Amino acid sequence: MGKVTGFMEFARIDEGYAPVDERVKHYKEFVVGLNSQQAKQQGARCMDCGTPFCNNGCPVNNIIPDFNDLVYRADWAAAFHVLDSTNNFPEFTGRICPAPCEAACVLNINNDPVGIKSIEHAIIDRAWEEGWVLPRPASAKTGKKVAVIGSGPAGMAAAQQLARVGHDVTLFEKNDRIGGLLRYGIPDFKLDKSHIDRRAKQLEAEGVTIRTGVLVAGKDGLGKDSKVTNWAKETVSPEQLKAEFDAVLLTGGSEQSRDLPVTGRDLDGIHFAMEFLPQQNKINAGDKLKGQLRADGKHVIVIGGGDTGSDCVGTSNRHGAKSVTQFEVMPMPPEEENKPLVWPYWPIKLRTSSSHEEGAVREFAISTKSFNGDKGKVKSLTTVQVEFKDGKLTEVKGTEKEWPADLVLLAMGFVNPVASVLDAFGVDKDARGNAKATTDFTGGYATNVSKVFAAGDMRRGQSLVVWAIREGRQAARAVDEFLMGESDLPR
């Protein structure tokens, strides 16, 4: 529980950032993590709260009070083993998870929560430095073969868990490198791709076969209307997979971006965020790319106020944009949440990211009415302010405004997985277009198609990395139970 009086003695210490004028010149990580003494002091703040709500606030059920206490006592190796027991990839979550565990921290009721995410970050970085993160290949093989389709965090977690209990696992990825949105969505300055690469080596050492550049789909591929990133060089059909493998687990992402079908949408210069962000990651990896979407010297409008929009802001600033403006259709949230009302749940409050601090104008309660162009290229857009009235958003008369725009990036979230993939397998979909599968203890994650399972964003819809890891782990147990009749994997 840390130090008995630690929460009264010590204030929260947040991780730091490199100065803005330095970090916008490159695409490397710039977070300054806690040193050993700072992490120890944060661990000391963990209370003997009786019911650790942080555990339930964490989707992977990290045993947070235990590793906090172990860091306070400087037993870093034990802290790593506790963290590793519930989370396959703490270096991902320790960098990009929004930390729902901290929202649920009991200390957060009337104080600043324990810096759980920063402690997790410190533990896993120390573990890699000390050589504690090692492959754990199975001691015996089961003779069962499993195909995992999609190599994002859900697919990677599932593949690792299944390989560790002795199954022969093949991890398929349509792009040229594994990682899913971790690789070709999240900018390098938030998550350096070396973290994915060393986990890929660990997976291979544990017996996972990784096949990149392989598209799993029907005869029509991803479909003519798909805007999904795809650098596949070969295609494998669902029929081939079902014939070759004893189980198939679908862990692709929710990749269809939400569109904005207003006047002028067909003008050049209007792109989905997931057309823009992956290209920069490819360039950072040393690849050559013709016709890269660039923001240099342009007035950039980012439509969508979430994390993807923030990533577009940070990348545009690094390109050298003339101006960056971010639109959010919802009203500006309060700077501080009403803790007695919302604790221990995730609060709605104003969140300012490191990318916003690098330079951006943020506009709330604003809706785009039209894109305006000249000679087929976008030059401006027209907006109107909106407000909630009678339970719905309505336009405020007399608030129309025209904004210069040379590049418009649509970052309004994702609506569903690529429909053609699910259709090719014959998997039933829910009302939102996701793969239909429950999370029940018996038969969980199974679809209507024999021996085909689904997990991650493909099943639950657009969500967090930490939820993807949880679903991958739980689906791995379900698949193992299906193949062997029982499973020792944690759920």
Side-chain angles (χ1 to χ4, degrees):
M1 62 157 285
K3 187 177 182 181
V4 175
T5 56
F7 69 96
M8 294 186 290
E9 295 178 35
F10 305 119
R12 176 184 171 98
I13 303 174
D14 287 314
E15 294 180 315
Y17 296 143
V20 170
D21 59 348
E22 293 180 11
R23 68 189 195 231
V24 294
K25 297 176 182 177
H26 60 75
Y27 294 90
K28 299 176 182 178
E29 289 183 7
F30 54 79
V31 171
V32 180
L34 304 186
N35 60 36
S36 297
Q37 184 57 37
Q38 289 172 326
K40 174 184 173 72
Q41 187 169 306
Q42 273 301 289
R45 299 182 71 235
C46 190
M47 305 162 63
D48 185 12
C49 54
T51 301
F53 284 82
C54 56
N55 286 20
N56 289 333
C58 173
V60 293
N61 302 121
N62 279 336
I63 312 169
I64 294 165
D66 290 38
F67 68 63
N68 283 346
D69 178 68
L70 289 164
V71 167
Y72 166 63
R73 300 180 188 283
D75 193 345
W76 288 85
F80 163 66
H81 289 301
V82 170
L83 177 58
D84 183 62
S85 70
T86 57
N87 187 350
N88 295 67
F89 314 118
E91 62 269 44
F92 302 162
T93 53
R95 284 170 168 79
I96 59 176
C97 181
C101 55
E102 294 186 14
C105 175
V106 172
L107 188 56
N108 191 43
I109 294 174
N110 63 350
N111 203 326
D112 292 327
V114 175
I116 300 167
K117 178 180 173 181
S118 61
I119 294 174
E120 179 180 351
H121 187 177
I123 292 170
I124 188 60
D125 281 8
R126 176 77 170 264
W128 279 106
E129 291 169 5
E130 298 287 349
W132 298 332
V133 186
L134 299 171
R136 300 208 304 268
S139 56
K141 289 288 189 178
T142 65
K144 302 291 186 180
K145 298 174 67 178
V146 182
V148 179
I149 316 303
S151 70
M156 290 177 69
Q160 184 165 67
Q161 295 294 94
L162 289 165
R164 286 177 173 178
V165 292
H167 302 308
D168 290 317
V169 181
T170 301
L171 183 60
F172 291 88
E173 170 56 51
K174 68 180 181 299
N175 293 321
D176 54 354
R177 299 176 178 90
I178 73 166
L181 284 183
L182 295 174
R183 172 76 67 178
Y184 291 125
I186 294 171
D188 290 25
F189 55 79
K190 287 177 63 176
L191 178 71
D192 190 278
K193 304 313 178 237
S194 63
H195 303 301
I196 306 173
D197 294 337
R198 61 187 179 186
R199 284 296 184 179
K201 291 179 181 178
Q202 182 190 32
L203 289 175
E204 290 178 319
E206 292 174 339
V208 176
T209 299
I210 296 174
R211 292 185 60 186
T212 57
V214 180
L215 174 66
V216 177
K219 61 181 180 180
D220 296 327
L222 291 175
K224 295 180 180 179
D225 297 330
S226 177
K227 292 285 187 179
V228 173
T229 303
N230 174 25
W231 290 295
K233 295 182 179 179
E234 61 176 300
T235 300
V236 175
S237 71
E239 290 71 28
Q240 289 174 276
L241 294 176
K242 287 187 284 186
E244 182 179 348
F245 293 90
D246 299 294
V248 178
L249 176 57
L250 306 178
T251 57
S254 181
E255 295 184 272
Q256 289 287 16
S257 300
R258 181 173 284 106
D259 209 341
L260 187 59
V262 299
T263 302
R265 173 62 181 89
D266 58 345
L267 292 168
D268 288 341
I270 305 170
H271 301 273
F272 289 117
M274 291 310 299
E275 295 176 78
F276 177 69
L277 295 172
Q279 292 187 2
Q280 186 57 56
N281 288 358
K282 289 274 288 181
I283 296 295
N284 294 345
D287 296 347
K288 295 183 184 293
L289 199 65
K290 291 183 179 179
Q292 182 194 2
L293 294 176
R294 298 282 306 183
D296 315 60
K298 296 178 180 178
H299 292 292
V300 179
I301 301 286
V302 179
I303 301 179
D307 288 339
T308 304
S310 172
D311 294 342
C312 290
V313 169
T315 302
S316 296
N317 279 325
R318 281 161 178 75
H319 282 184
K322 188 172 184 178
S323 70
V324 182
T325 306
Q326 185 176 21
F327 291 167
E328 168 57 60
V329 72
M330 300 301 290
M332 181 175 175
E335 292 192 13
E336 294 294 335
E337 72 270 34
N338 186 337
K339 290 183 178 181
L341 179 66
V342 300
W343 181 90
Y345 301 109
W346 184 247
I348 295 176
K349 67 176 183 179
L350 181 65
R351 303 176 192 279
T352 300
S353 73
S354 58
S355 291
H356 294 139
E357 294 172 353
E358 293 165 3
V361 174
R362 303 172 74 185
E363 296 288 337
F364 294 89
I366 191 169
S367 177
T368 302
K369 295 198 70 173
S370 68
F371 299 109
N372 314 309
D374 180 40
K375 297 180 180 178
K377 185 166 179 58
V378 69
K379 291 298 179 184
S380 68
L381 53 79
T382 302
T383 64
V384 64
Q385 294 297 131
V386 291
E387 63 181 357
F388 270 105
K389 198 171 184 179
D390 299 326
K392 61 180 181 180
L393 281 175
T394 58
E395 295 183 2
V396 179
K397 292 182 179 179
T399 61
E400 288 194 3
K401 182 177 178 179
E402 188 169 349
W403 303 75
D406 305 304
L407 175 64
V408 178
L409 301 172
L410 305 180
M412 301 173 295
F414 305 89
V415 291
N416 51 249
V418 178
S420 56
V421 175
L422 297 180
D423 291 341
F425 276 95
V427 170
D428 286 346
K429 291 174 278 191
D430 64 18
R432 295 161 57 201
N434 302 318
K436 192 174 183 180
T438 71
T439 58
D440 297 339
F441 275 89
T442 302
Y445 296 93
T447 70
N448 62 297
V449 180
S450 176
K451 73 180 185 182
V452 177
F453 297 75
D457 286 6
M458 182 166 276
R459 189 203 70 83
R460 66 176 287 116
Q462 173 188 341
S463 192
L464 305 175
V465 168
V466 68
W467 271 106
I469 294 172
R470 171 192 171 129
E471 294 236 338
R473 288 171 62 88
Q474 290 191 344
R477 178 185 170 90
V479 171
D480 185 39
E481 200 168 37
F482 166 76
L483 294 173
M484 309 301 293
E486 59 182 7
S487 179
D488 292 328
L489 284 172
R491 192 176 193 280

